[in-house]
């Protein structure tokens, strides 16, 4: 008997069985085998070129890896029929041919637990409409391609590893298709996955592509791919490269740790991202170029880059759509360049942006709706002629400059807000234009609307309030205003000269109407109605109604020529946290403004940290600044007792109290001061200065919410967020609230809201396990959704 032995057995169901045969070579065994037979190979190395042209099965006798196919030249394994190979190692070193060749429309190879370890031109090649299945296999080819599919071939790979290839790990060409599940492609010298030619497709699920000396996925020439729950990282090129009409769709994927772009699109290619993350990229997250090129991202996240390039770059006529996306921790977030380039963003957030959140130039346009920009250098910058677009319902806060419009740019903004800008909220200069309708700028450290150089900016029904410099600042005639209001402009000071261009036209030039002061707040009965709608607080409501009655009657007595009763409007609010003190203070200010007692009625909320400085003299300056911001409204000092600590003989908080008492006397008709805190501690505060108690003649006590009132708050939270409480849930919830320990840390209404949020989280964990939940199941909160109360500690989880 020779070195090797192959045993052939018949696996068919026929009762007429051939006797099993044993052969010295694979060639002899295959010649004798018939379709349906199994060939069992003894351990060793077969230096034969194996051709499977029958539907047979090859398997090693001693387990996976014990049998090697390694001929001196040529293709080690060729499959032209529906054959299966289990646990073999295929080697071969002919650099001009594949190690495994599956070819022909009759070929349907199934490789399970095999290892292709070769230095061939291709590790595994399927061509000419052949079908291949790889399960639990490994393909290593440091001399060429890992797997190549051509001419309509189809591949199904599961739990398979493509590693250490000199070129692409997987190449799908010429109308072929591939479907990979839970596979790994790594250490490739070319693209991890290469898709090219019309009709070529690939679908990857749960796969990982990494350590690639090229692009993670490269798609071109109208090829298409779909990736679900995949990860692409540590590649030297782009994470995704799309060119010439190629299309890729990513769902639930993560692309990160890249020196170049997370995705680069050119020449009419298309990319769709859903619930995916692009992060830690060295150049950009999305680079979208040329007419017809389009990218779309839904519920996706782009973050963390130290690159000097914009994270998202749309230029040369390309288009991008963002929906419910988050862009954060970037130097520049979104840059749109060139005529024809367009970005549409809906319900997106931009935060922690070092320079510009959105930059538009070269005639490009953007359409932003309900977007939020926070903590950025510049919110939006429209840079030059033809650049613009439309923004609706957008919020910009905590930026250096909110909106910049310059050099002929002409955007439209409607119902947008800019809050807390360190410099100008809206800055227009150098022939910029812009149309602003129903926009509001507030709480900035600079100007609100700052228009230079006579720019023809149109401002309609815009509002500026609590900006440290002017709300509207126009250096020259040019801006056109209609129905705008500000809290720092007297009517006489708002007159603007007619625009200089009026002399050059025969038509009537637009007239800039004066900027008017901010009008009174909503009618008192509306604010009172909101107060009455608050849950509980019966005694508080009665106290506020009494104050309002005193004010109303006093005004009528004065109108009748009688003396009005002396009324001290400053209040002390005592009670535990979460009992509605801040809400009532806000409504109180609105009511006083509507009755003409206060000019504006706005609420300025401060605490010790806002009033007390770090050295002598700074406290008085801080307290004065806070008081000035509250002019015409309500200054609400939360935890006011912290200004008078028990052992604070040399504490600067006393200076804040002394300064406050004097300001309340000097400007008694300009500001209402409300101090709030725990009942016992507020008694210490009132005794800190002889003048304090005399300034506050009325104390309003906010009682803790009862269990029934906490249940009502939970009901209101459910209604607001479209949830429903099952009847048993209400009973269990009432019992839960009744059993909570009401110590100093008890949060009252805040506790009720936290309990509701916990129930929503537990509901989500429960319903996520249902295959197809009904609308009722998506809404209904059941007793199992209640927080779990830990014994002894009283903590809930």
């Amino acid at each position: 008997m020779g070195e090797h032995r192959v045993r052939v057995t018949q696996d068919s169901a026929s009762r007429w069985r051939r006797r099993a045969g044993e052969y010295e070579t694979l060639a002899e065994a295959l010649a004798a085998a018939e379709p349906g037979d199994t060939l069992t190979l003894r351990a060793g190395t077969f230096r034969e070129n194996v051709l499977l042209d029958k539907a047979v099965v090859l398997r090693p006798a001693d387990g996976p890896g014990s049998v090697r196919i390694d001929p001196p030249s040529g293709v080690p394994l060729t499959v032209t029929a529906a054959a299966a190979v289990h646990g073999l190692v295929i080697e071969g070193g002919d650099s001009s041919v594949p190690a495994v060749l599956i070819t022909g429309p009759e070929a349907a190879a199934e490789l399970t637990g095999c290892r292709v370890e070769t230095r061939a031109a291709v590790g595994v090649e399927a061509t000419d409409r052949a079908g291949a299945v790889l399960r639990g296999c490994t393909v290593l080819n440091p001399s060429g391609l890992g797997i190549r599919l051509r001419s309509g071939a189809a591949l199904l790979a599961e739990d398979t590893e493509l590693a250490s290839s000199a070129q692409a790990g997987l190449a799908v060409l010429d109308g072929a298709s591939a479907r990979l599940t839970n596979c790994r492609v790594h250490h490739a010298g070319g693209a991890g996955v290469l898709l090219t030619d019309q009709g070529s497709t690939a679908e990857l699920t749960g796969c990982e592509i990494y350590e690639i000396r090229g692009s993670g996925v490269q798609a071109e020439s109208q090829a298409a791919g779909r990736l679900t729950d995949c990860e692409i990282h540590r590649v030297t090129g782009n994470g995704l490269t799309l060119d010439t009409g190629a299309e890729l769709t990513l769902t639930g994927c993560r692309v990160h740790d890249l020196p170049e772009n997370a995705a680069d699109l050119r020449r009419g290619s298309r990319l769709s991202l859903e619930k995916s993350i692009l992060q830690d990229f060295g150049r950009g997250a999305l680079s979208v170029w040329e007419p017809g090129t389009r990218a779309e991202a839904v519920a996706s996240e782009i973050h963390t880059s130290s690159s000097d390039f914009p994270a998202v770059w749309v230029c040369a006529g390309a288009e991008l759509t963002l929906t419910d996306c988050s862009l954060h921790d970037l130097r520049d977030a979104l840059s749109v360049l060139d005529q024809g380039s367009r970005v549409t963003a809906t319900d997106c957030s931009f935060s922690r942006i070092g320079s510009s959140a959105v930059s538009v130039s070269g005639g490009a346009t953007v359409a932003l709706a309900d977007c939020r920009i926070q903590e950025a250098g510049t919110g939006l910058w429209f840079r030059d002629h033809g650049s613009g677009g439309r923004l609706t319902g957008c919020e910009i806060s905590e930026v250096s400059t909110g909106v910049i419009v310059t050099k002929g740019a002409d955007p439209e903004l409607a119902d947008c807000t800019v809050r807390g800008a360190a410099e100008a909220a809206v800055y227009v200069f150098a022939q910029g234009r812009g149309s602003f309708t129903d926009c509001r700028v507030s709480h900035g450290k600079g100007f609100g609307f700052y228009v230079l150089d006579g720019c023809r900016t149109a401002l309609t029904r815009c509002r500026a309030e609590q900006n440290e410099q002017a709300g509207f600042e126009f250096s020259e005639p040019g801006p056109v205003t209609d129905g705008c209001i500000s809290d720092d402009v007297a009517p006489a000071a708002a007159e603007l000269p007619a625009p200089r261009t009026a002399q050059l036209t025969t038509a009537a030039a637009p007239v800039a109407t004066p900027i008017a002061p901010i009008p009174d707040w909503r009618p008192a009965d509306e604010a009172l109605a909101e107060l009455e709608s608050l849950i509980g607080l019966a005694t508080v409501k009665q106290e506020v109604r009494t104050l309002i009655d005193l004010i109303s009657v006093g005004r009528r007595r004065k109108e009748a020529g009688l003396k009005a009763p002396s009324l001290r409007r400053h209040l002390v609010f005592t009670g535990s946290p979460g009992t509605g003190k801040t809400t009532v203070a806000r409504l109180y200010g609105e009511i006083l403004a509507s009755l003409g007692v206060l000019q504006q009625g706005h609420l300025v909320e401060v605490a010790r940290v806002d009033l007390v400085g770090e050295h002598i003299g700074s406290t008085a300056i801080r307290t004065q600044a806070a008081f000035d911001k509250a002019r015409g409204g309500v200054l609400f000092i939360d935890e006011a007792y912290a200004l008078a600590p028990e052992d604070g003989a040399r504490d600067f908080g006393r200076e804040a109290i002394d300064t406050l008492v004097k300001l309340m006397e000097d400007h008694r008709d300009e500001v209402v001061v409300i101090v709030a805190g725990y009942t016992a501690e507020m008694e210490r505060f009132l005794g800190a200065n002889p003048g304090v108690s005399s300034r506050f003649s009325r104390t309003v006590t906010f009682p803790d919410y009862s269990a029934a009132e906490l249940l009502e708050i939970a009901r209101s939270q459910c209604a607001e967020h479209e949830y429903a409480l099952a009847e048993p849930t209400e009973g269990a919830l009432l019992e839960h609230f009744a059993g909570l320990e009401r110590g100093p840390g008890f949060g009252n209404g805040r506790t009720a809201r936290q309990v509701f949020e916990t129930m929503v989280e537990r509901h989500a964990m429960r319903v996520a396990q249902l295959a197809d939940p009904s609308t009722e199941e998506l809404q209904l909160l059941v007793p199992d959704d209640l927080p779990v109360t830990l014994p002894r500690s009283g903590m809930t989880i």
Side-chain angles (χ1 to χ4, degrees):
M1 191 68 66
E3 179 184 0
H4 302 302
R5 181 178 298 166
V6 182
R7 183 179 180 84
V8 179
T9 57
Q10 186 181 40
D11 289 340
S12 68
S14 172
R15 63 188 182 90
W16 299 103
R17 289 185 172 273
R18 289 186 295 105
R19 213 163 27 86
E22 295 185 358
Y23 303 88
E24 296 298 325
T25 67
L26 261 171
E28 294 173 345
L30 286 168
E34 295 182 2
D37 285 354
T38 295
L39 284 70
T40 305
L41 286 67
R42 193 180 67 177
T45 301
F46 289 80
R47 301 197 179 277
E48 303 179 44
N49 300 97
V50 179
L51 171 63
L52 302 183
D53 56 358
K54 304 172 184 177
V56 296
V57 177
L58 268 63
R59 66 172 68 252
D62 298 330
S66 61
V67 175
R68 295 175 176 267
I69 308 296
D70 185 17
S73 63
V75 180
L77 176 62
T78 301
V79 182
T80 62
V85 180
H86 301 286
L88 300 191
V89 178
I90 296 96
E91 296 183 352
D94 191 332
S95 61
S96 63
V97 295
V100 177
L101 175 62
I102 306 164
T103 182
E106 303 299 323
E110 180 178 341
L111 278 64
T112 303
C114 292
R115 184 178 180 89
V116 180
E117 187 173 349
T118 184
R119 289 187 172 274
V122 184
V124 176
E125 177 164 272
T127 185
D128 191 17
R129 293 180 292 157
V133 176
L134 275 66
R135 292 190 174 93
C137 295
T138 300
V139 179
L140 300 94
N141 184 17
S143 295
L145 289 161
I147 296 178
R148 181 169 64 191
L149 310 174
R150 298 191 299 175
S151 303
L155 167 70
L156 169 63
E158 298 175 348
D159 301 305
T160 290
E161 181 176 13
L162 311 181
S164 302
S165 57
Q167 300 174 40
L170 169 66
V172 184
L173 322 171
D174 191 23
S177 62
R179 184 153 56 95
L180 279 66
T181 302
N182 298 329
C183 295
R184 293 191 301 155
V185 182
H186 60 94
H187 293 88
V193 175
L194 172 64
L195 308 174
T196 186
D197 303 325
Q198 186 174 9
S200 298
T201 63
E203 182 175 341
L204 282 69
T205 303
C207 296
E208 184 179 10
I209 302 172
Y210 62 99
E211 296 294 351
I212 304 297
R213 294 186 298 277
S215 297
V217 176
Q218 181 174 334
E220 55 193 33
S221 301
Q222 301 182 33
R226 178 181 295 275
L227 284 73
T228 303
D229 193 26
C230 293
E231 183 175 11
I232 301 171
H233 59 111
R234 304 202 309 273
V235 304
T236 63
N238 301 314
L240 309 169
T241 297
L242 291 82
D243 204 341
T244 319
E247 295 187 17
L248 285 180
T249 299
L250 275 68
T251 303
C253 294
R254 186 177 173 211
V255 184
H256 62 98
D257 291 315
L258 314 159
E260 294 294 326
N261 300 297
D264 185 87
L265 290 73
R266 297 172 187 263
R267 287 189 281 273
S269 58
R270 298 191 178 189
L271 173 66
S272 176
L273 302 173
E274 183 177 354
K275 298 179 180 178
S276 295
I277 298 175
L278 310 179
Q279 71 178 89
D280 297 314
F281 36 86
R283 190 174 180 88
L286 291 173
S287 181
V288 191
W289 298 72
E290 300 172 327
T293 305
R294 297 180 183 178
E296 177 183 9
V298 178
S300 295
E301 184 178 3
I302 296 172
H303 71 91
T304 312
S305 171
S306 58
S307 168
D308 290 335
F309 293 90
V312 179
W313 181 280
V314 182
C315 59
E319 297 184 20
L320 169 67
T321 301
L322 302 172
T323 305
D324 189 25
C325 291
S326 171
L327 293 84
H328 61 88
D329 296 289
L330 305 163
R331 177 178 173 83
D332 290 277
L334 171 61
S335 184
V336 193
L337 305 87
D338 307 324
Q339 188 172 6
S341 299
R342 179 177 175 82
V343 170
T344 301
T346 304
D347 195 23
C348 294
S349 67
F350 303 77
S351 60
R352 298 187 295 280
I353 309 300
S355 185
S356 298
V358 178
S359 175
V360 187
S361 61
T365 60
V366 295
L368 275 61
D370 301 318
C371 291
R372 300 162 300 284
I373 298 173
Q374 185 176 17
E375 297 182 57
T378 299
L380 299 109
W381 192 341
F382 298 90
R383 294 177 176 266
D384 48 28
H385 182 75
S387 303
R390 181 171 177 80
L391 282 73
T392 56
C394 294
E395 300 177 4
I396 306 168
S397 62
E398 301 176 59
V399 295
S400 293
T401 305
V403 181
I404 299 177
V405 183
T406 184
K407 297 181 181 179
D410 193 13
E412 300 178 27
L413 284 79
D415 195 27
C416 295
T417 63
V418 182
R419 180 183 176 88
E423 298 176 11
V426 174
Y427 185 26
V428 186
F429 66 100
Q431 289 76 55
R433 294 178 68 91
S435 170
F436 298 83
T437 303
D438 294 316
C439 293
R440 178 183 176 186
V441 299
S442 68
H443 300 85
K445 295 184 181 300
F447 295 110
F449 293 90
Y450 191 22
V451 184
L452 302 179
D453 308 324
C455 294
R456 295 297 303 276
T457 301
L459 304 167
T460 304
R461 297 186 303 279
C462 291
R463 177 185 184 116
E465 59 183 334
Q466 299 190 56
N467 297 285
E468 293 189 8
Q469 299 189 47
F472 294 80
E473 178 71 11
F474 307 148
S475 64
E476 298 179 32
V480 178
T481 63
D482 181 13
C484 296
I485 57 177
S486 177
D487 62 359
D488 62 351
V489 179
E495 297 290 346
L496 296 174
R500 288 175 294 180
T501 55
Q503 301 176 7
L504 305 178
T505 177
T506 57
V511 177
T513 60
I515 308 297
I518 290 179
D520 291 341
W521 290 61
R522 56 181 171 169
D525 55 352
E526 292 185 17
L528 278 169
E530 183 177 340
L531 177 65
E532 292 295 337
S533 69
L534 298 178
I535 295 169
L537 304 178
T539 58
V540 175
K541 296 172 185 176
Q542 182 58 48
E543 289 280 2
V544 174
R545 282 195 297 267
T546 299
L547 286 168
I548 301 309
D549 290 343
L550 283 170
I551 293 170
S552 299
V553 173
R555 293 182 64 186
R556 291 184 181 181
R557 285 176 59 86
K558 190 174 183 179
E559 291 170 359
L562 302 173
K563 289 184 178 181
S566 177
L567 177 65
R568 297 195 180 277
R569 302 163 299 176
H570 309 304
L571 303 175
V572 178
F573 284 178
T574 65
S576 302
T579 48
K581 294 187 290 293
T582 306
T583 300
V584 173
R586 174 180 59 80
L587 293 173
Y588 182 57
E590 286 194 52
I591 294 168
L592 293 183
S594 65
L595 294 175
V597 177
L598 291 175
Q599 183 181 3
Q600 299 173 43
H602 63 287
L603 180 75
V604 175
E605 183 178 358
V606 297
R608 175 188 166 91
V609 68
D610 304 300
L611 303 178
V612 178
E614 299 175 354
H615 53 80
I616 296 175
S618 63
T619 295
I621 295 173
R622 289 191 181 189
T623 305
Q624 176 77 58
F627 194 90
D628 288 342
K629 286 184 179 180
R631 293 261 183 122
V634 174
L635 178 63
F636 181 80
I637 307 175
D638 197 13
E639 297 182 352
Y641 53 82
L643 298 174
E646 291 181 293
D647 57 350
R650 301 183 61 184
D651 186 82
F652 289 143
R654 304 281 179 170
E655 184 182 353
I657 295 173
D658 296 341
T659 304
L660 187 64
V661 168
K662 186 177 187 304
L663 290 170
M664 291 169 67
E665 179 62 28
D666 294 345
H667 306 279
R668 64 171 65 94
D669 295 328
E670 297 180 47
V671 176
V672 166
V673 178
I674 299 177
V675 292
Y678 291 108
T679 302
E681 285 82 351
M682 289 306 295
E683 292 179 0
R684 184 179 70 243
F685 168 79
L686 294 173
N689 181 298
V692 172
S693 59
S694 64
R695 298 295 185 274
F696 298 95
S697 59
R698 184 180 294 271
T699 297
V700 180
T701 300
F702 286 67
D704 286 345
Y705 287 110
S706 67
E709 289 169 339
L710 293 175
L711 175 59
E712 188 60 32
I713 292 173
R715 285 198 190 103
S716 67
Q717 290 287 300
C718 286
E720 179 181 350
H721 296 88
E722 297 185 346
Y723 284 88
L725 294 174
E727 186 173 343
T729 311
E730 293 198 357
L733 194 53
L734 182 63
E735 183 179 350
H736 174 81
F737 286 137
L740 291 177
E741 182 180 349
R742 294 180 177 246
F746 182 65
N748 283 287
R750 188 181 307 117
T751 295
R753 289 187 290 273
Q754 289 171 345
V755 168
F756 168 73
E757 290 167 0
T758 302
M759 293 177 69
V760 168
E761 292 173 2
R762 292 172 64 86
H763 166 270
M765 294 171 61
R766 175 173 56 81
V767 174
Q769 307 305 315
L770 304 179
D772 186 20
S774 65
T775 301
E776 182 180 6
E777 288 172 324
L778 289 169
Q779 290 181 295
L780 196 62
L781 300 176
V782 301
D784 285 345
D785 297 327
L786 260 67
V788 178
T789 302
L790 299 179
R792 297 183 183 177
S793 68
M795 294 177 59
T796 58
I797 59 174

